[in-house]
Amino acid sequence: MRPPSPSRRRLPHKVCNDFFKNLKNNSCVNVDLLALSDETDGVVAMGDDNMTDKQWCYVSNDCPEASLNGGEYATNMMGFQLGGWNNLASTSNLSWKICDPVADASYMLKYKTVQELIDIGTESDVGLSRLIRLAYPVVAITWAEVKFMMEAINDGWTPSSDLATVVDGLPAPPATFTRAAEVHTTISDIIKSGQATILDSPGHGDNFHVIKGREAWSVVRNGLGNMIYLSGHFSMEFDVTCLMGCATARLEALDLETQ
């Protein structure tokens, strides 16, 4: 999903109005929105070109071209938008750049936790399903193929456990079960990496699951999603729920001052 040609991914117009114009921060989002199934290259396939796994954001046209990392001017010098996407904090003249994984790490949504994305989406009142799709990489593996593996990790977890050791200790499927063996190897690497990753759903739908380390989250449209969307409360349209492996919430504002 790159700014100069939004029609490339044939995204609906509501993505521009309901999402990008409401996003109130300078986060870097995925260039490619959906996982594209590739039966010849294994279970993982992101995008169809060298923009795979890259993220972008808008910057001022004052930024020199060399700092755009392969990005381009998104407006002409008179300020007419070529990409047509901006947010409420933007100015009229905008370029876009490919974010640097080191220099721009704090702005890249792929490095945020699921809870941090929920907070960002709630603050800007944008759809959480869309936001998570724009944040994390996707693997063409379903939750049904991963559920028992995640349950085994969490069932055997103790406060002194080491994640890599627990994952490596899981029994691997026989090599004769090709798909199961591929899934086991791929998911093991993803869990140990700590990179939050979307487990794709049939048709790349808006309902899906996310794993991050031993955490597992579900993203499911609320039963009143149509009414919520029509009312303009976009961040409430999808429920993002931790299924297992998440740290217990703490009271951050607890006042321990004695009188």
Side-chain angles (χ1 to χ4, degrees), residues 48-213:
D48 53 5
D49 52 33
N50 62 3
M51 289 297 179
T52 294
D53 203 33
K54 289 183 170 58
Q55 297 197 320
W56 67 272
C57 71
Y58 277 120
V59 293
S60 169
N61 268 352
D62 294 333
C63 292
E65 185 174 357
S67 69
L68 300 182
N69 300 325
E72 300 173 358
Y73 290 113
T75 66
N76 59 27
M77 298 311 294
M78 296 301 293
F80 295 106
Q81 296 180 10
L82 303 182
W85 294 346
N86 65 351
N87 59 41
L88 297 179
S90 300
T91 58
S92 59
N93 289 304
L94 295 169
S95 297
W96 67 279
K97 77 169 189 175
I98 298 297
C99 298
D100 184 278
V102 177
D104 302 317
S106 62
Y107 298 102
M108 297 180 71
L109 292 185
K110 67 183 294 184
Y111 299 133
K112 303 292 185 184
T113 66
V114 177
Q115 185 59 55
E116 286 175 326
L117 292 186
I118 294 173
D119 294 340
I120 290 172
T122 301
E123 179 185 10
S124 294
D125 196 15
V126 296
L128 298 181
S129 177
R130 181 80 60 193
L131 180 63
I132 294 173
R133 280 279 191 192
L134 285 165
Y136 296 147
V138 184
V139 63
I141 296 174
T142 66
W143 170 241
E145 296 175 292
V146 176
K147 179 181 178 182
F148 294 113
M149 187 174 179
M150 298 299 294
E151 289 177 340
I153 292 171
N154 281 279
D155 288 345
W157 187 261
T158 67
S160 60
S161 294
D162 174 74
L163 184 59
T165 301
V166 173
V167 174
D168 290 339
L170 296 176
T176 51
F177 294 94
T178 307
R179 173 65 180 181
E182 288 179 348
V183 168
H184 181 89
T185 300
T186 301
I187 293 299
S188 294
D189 291 342
I190 290 173
I191 292 173
K192 290 188 289 186
S193 75
Q195 172 60 59
T197 301
I198 294 172
L199 303 176
D200 210 4
S201 52
H204 313 302
D206 292 329
N207 295 337
F208 50 82
H209 289 78
V210 177
I211 59 172
K212 184 184 189 313

